[in-house]
Amino acid sequence: MSEDAEQPSIVPSTQRGPWMTFLRSLAASRGDIASITAPPFILSSTSLVEYSRFWAELPALFVAPSMIVDPEERALSVFKWFIATLKGQYTSRNEALGSEKKPLNPFLGELFLGRWETEDEGTTYLVSEQVSHHPPVTAYAIFNDIYGVELQGYNGQKASVSTSTLSVKQVGHAMLYIKKFDEYYYITLPSLHIEGLIYGAPYVELEQSTLIQSSSGYRFQIDYSGKGYFSGKKNSFKAKMYAPENYSSAIYTFSGQWSGKSTMKDERKKAEKPFYDASEHKITELIVKPTSEQSAYESRRAWEKVAAAVKIMDYDTIHTEKSKIENEQRAMRKQEQDEGREWLRRYFELVADDGIVKEVAQRAGVEPDDSVWRFNRAAFEDGPDSLLK
Ligand code: 1KG
């Protein structure tokens, strides 16, 4: 018996027809999923620009590495933080809404600003901006000045469809910086596919491999799998940790479920012990200003009417209000084109890779993007939406 019986279908009986039509359009779409109109019950009232939040919903794990002097132990605590982010990133919609949902497609310049306030860590800030609409790319920065930890990254999605499986390759990377040790961690992003589409209960399964390469030399290689693979359980992973001087034999190995329990084995002492258990950690809710205090480009204010219509499945209003936003965006792009200018990104700038990303990535044998989206901290501190005021 597989660990979890197939999820019950969430397709309302009245929606079976539209769901089958949707699956057929998906199969015919050849990957441009943003253009597919998914049946309203699968729509999320949350914009994709909000998904940067999943990198730091456990602020204590996010800042922990800054307090660990031993580089090997510090690298291990970064790896624990990374594994801990996966549950929120890839399964939180299933838990909250019963299945994966299709996020609202952010418009160019859409912003999402928030902060976590926790007893021991103080304030951890989140700045997320849709820096590209075609293809969709979200840039984000998460930083805690008390502990001197900053995560910057950007990600986009390249989707492909084969029969009824939707596969997504993520482009971009995340870079964690720990000020006290002037240390970087280059993090690549997992490919994924959507399981359960034919049952009408879609959920994300991660696949293939990613790595974490530290400027200290420590490296992690993580291999992902789902049901029916090596462990038979969904959300499974195996990982190897390498020391700087020797990338051919792992010093630690890990295995388990990134959404549940995992263990670690010291390959030098052949000792095995628990590594991480997702059920032992409760996320901290992100504080976001009420829409009445948000600027016009902040996500929840911009999508307020659409989100309300999605919640009550008012299909006509969803369409009307979405069209207003899309038409407004088209008009702005046309005006920019006529005036020979481009939309100015508010908090991020596209810069030729300034060396550190390239240096750390190449150390891991990865060819990074030529140019990277970098957080412009000064723009954020002086900006109208600044949370720092
Ligand atoms: C459209 C699919 C949504 C995904 C794949 C968008 C990208 C999301 C990313 C990769 C974004 C970056 C985050 O750090 C991690 C992350 C988590 C979840 C990813 C989303 C899952 C969503 O599934 C959507 C497609 C499946 C189904 C709900 C409906 O299918 C469609 O509507 C296709 C048009």
Side-chain angles (χ1 to χ4, degrees):
M1 172 68 172
S2 77
E3 178 246 353
D4 61 304
E6 290 309 343
Q7 293 179 350
S9 169
I10 56 154
V11 183
S13 52
T14 56
Q15 294 292 312
R16 289 202 190 290
W19 183 250
M20 294 319 290
T21 310
F22 159 67
L23 289 182
R24 276 194 293 276
S25 66
L26 196 56
S29 72
R30 282 190 303 283
D32 177 15
I33 56 172
S35 63
I36 296 177
T37 47
F41 74 89
I42 204 71
L43 291 180
S44 162
S45 54
T46 302
S47 164
L48 192 55
V49 78
E50 292 208 20
Y51 284 45
S52 313
R53 64 193 295 167
F54 298 122
W55 284 103
E57 295 181 301
L58 297 169
L61 289 185
F62 179 65
V63 305
S66 67
M67 294 178 279
I68 300 175
V69 176
D70 173 65
E72 182 174 303
E73 288 305 314
R74 187 162 62 247
L76 273 166
S77 79
V78 168
F79 181 56
K80 182 175 287 188
W81 155 75
F82 172 75
I83 292 294
T85 63
L86 300 177
K87 183 171 183 252
Q89 294 277 15
Y90 300 106
T91 73
S92 49
R93 278 80 51 199
N94 298 70
E95 287 174 5
L97 309 168
S99 91
E100 188 52 82
K101 296 281 186 180
K102 184 174 191 252
L104 294 170
N105 188 13
F107 52 85
L108 182 59
E110 186 174 333
L111 299 170
F112 184 62
L113 309 168
R115 66 190 195 286
W116 290 274
E117 298 288 2
T118 44
E119 188 74 22
D120 299 340
E121 294 76 32
T123 306
T124 305
Y125 293 98
L126 163 68
V127 183
S128 185
E129 179 171 356
Q130 198 68 7
V131 290
S132 169
H133 180 64
H134 276 307
V137 179
T138 307
Y140 58 88
I142 297 175
F143 50 98
N144 180 304
D145 294 337
I146 303 164
Y147 288 83
V149 178
E150 178 183 86
L151 179 76
Q152 280 196 39
Y154 60 94
N155 54 56
Q157 294 84 40
K158 287 198 168 112
S160 60
V161 185
S162 63
T163 58
S164 66
T165 300
L166 178 71
S167 299
V168 175
K169 183 171 178 359
Q170 292 195 68
V171 292
H173 66 263
M175 184 71 106
L176 184 72
Y177 179 60
I178 303 171
K179 196 171 181 176
K180 191 187 296 179
F181 304 102
D182 191 23
E183 192 171 79
Y184 291 88
Y185 289 80
Y186 177 80
I187 302 163
T188 61
L189 306 173
S191 292
L192 59 94
H193 62 272
I194 303 292
E195 297 258 0
L197 268 177
I198 44 171
Y199 300 108
Y203 67 93
V204 166
E205 188 55 87
L206 300 183
E207 58 185 49
Q208 294 162 43
S209 301
T210 66
L211 61 80
I212 299 176
Q213 175 68 51
S214 173
S215 54
S216 66
Y218 285 97
R219 177 192 298 175
F220 296 86
Q221 156 104 22
I222 308 121
D223 301 314
Y224 305 93
S225 74
K227 277 188 302 182
Y229 294 85
F230 45 72
S231 77
K233 286 185 176 176
K234 66 178 183 180
N235 307 151
S236 295
F237 76 98
K238 283 184 185 297
K240 291 189 173 93
M241 178 181 188
Y242 299 98
E245 63 283 350
N246 179 355
Y247 290 147
S248 58
S249 66
I251 52 174
Y252 286 102
T253 53
F254 307 80
S255 74
Q257 287 180 287
W258 45 263
S259 57
K261 288 194 175 84
S262 49
T263 58
M264 68 189 284
K265 186 175 174 188
D266 181 333
E267 290 301 325
R268 294 162 293 196
K269 299 182 193 134
K270 298 296 172 207
E272 184 151 10
K273 62 180 183 179
F275 174 57
Y276 180 68
D277 180 350
S279 66
E280 289 174 357
H281 295 261
K282 193 172 168 346
I283 66 157
T284 298
E285 279 308 317
L286 184 71
I287 299 167
V288 181
K289 283 187 291 190
T291 50
S292 55
E293 293 168 28
Q294 292 185 10
S295 77
Y297 290 101
E298 287 190 67
S299 182
R300 291 185 183 175
R301 175 174 158 182
W303 290 104
E304 193 162 30
K305 293 199 178 92
V306 172
V310 167
K311 284 179 183 143
I312 57 171
M313 291 203 200
D314 173 351
Y315 306 159
D316 295 340
T317 307
I318 294 172
H319 179 71
T320 315
E321 292 303 328
K322 268 177 106 172
S323 304
K324 276 185 199 163
I325 292 174
E326 285 153 4
N327 294 337
E328 194 180 316
Q329 286 297 309
R330 264 191 286 276
M332 288 170 70
R333 296 298 86 79
K334 173 91 175 59
Q335 192 180 357
E336 286 151 15
Q337 200 175 16
D338 295 349
E339 295 169 10
R341 62 186 169 80
E342 203 192 321
W343 172 261
L344 285 178
R345 276 63 176 178
R346 180 81 65 89
Y347 300 122
F348 294 87
E349 50 200 357
L350 192 60
V351 296
D353 173 15
D354 58 0
I356 185 63
V357 170
K358 195 181 282 291
E359 179 209 316
V360 180
Q362 283 170 341
R363 185 152 186 187
V366 174
E367 203 43 49
D369 299 338
D370 293 334
S371 42
V372 297
W373 285 99
R374 192 166 57 191
F375 181 44
N376 179 340
R377 177 75 186 249
F380 178 68
E381 280 165 355
D382 307 335
D385 311 301
S386 175
L387 300 169
L388 297 176
K389 283 178 188 148

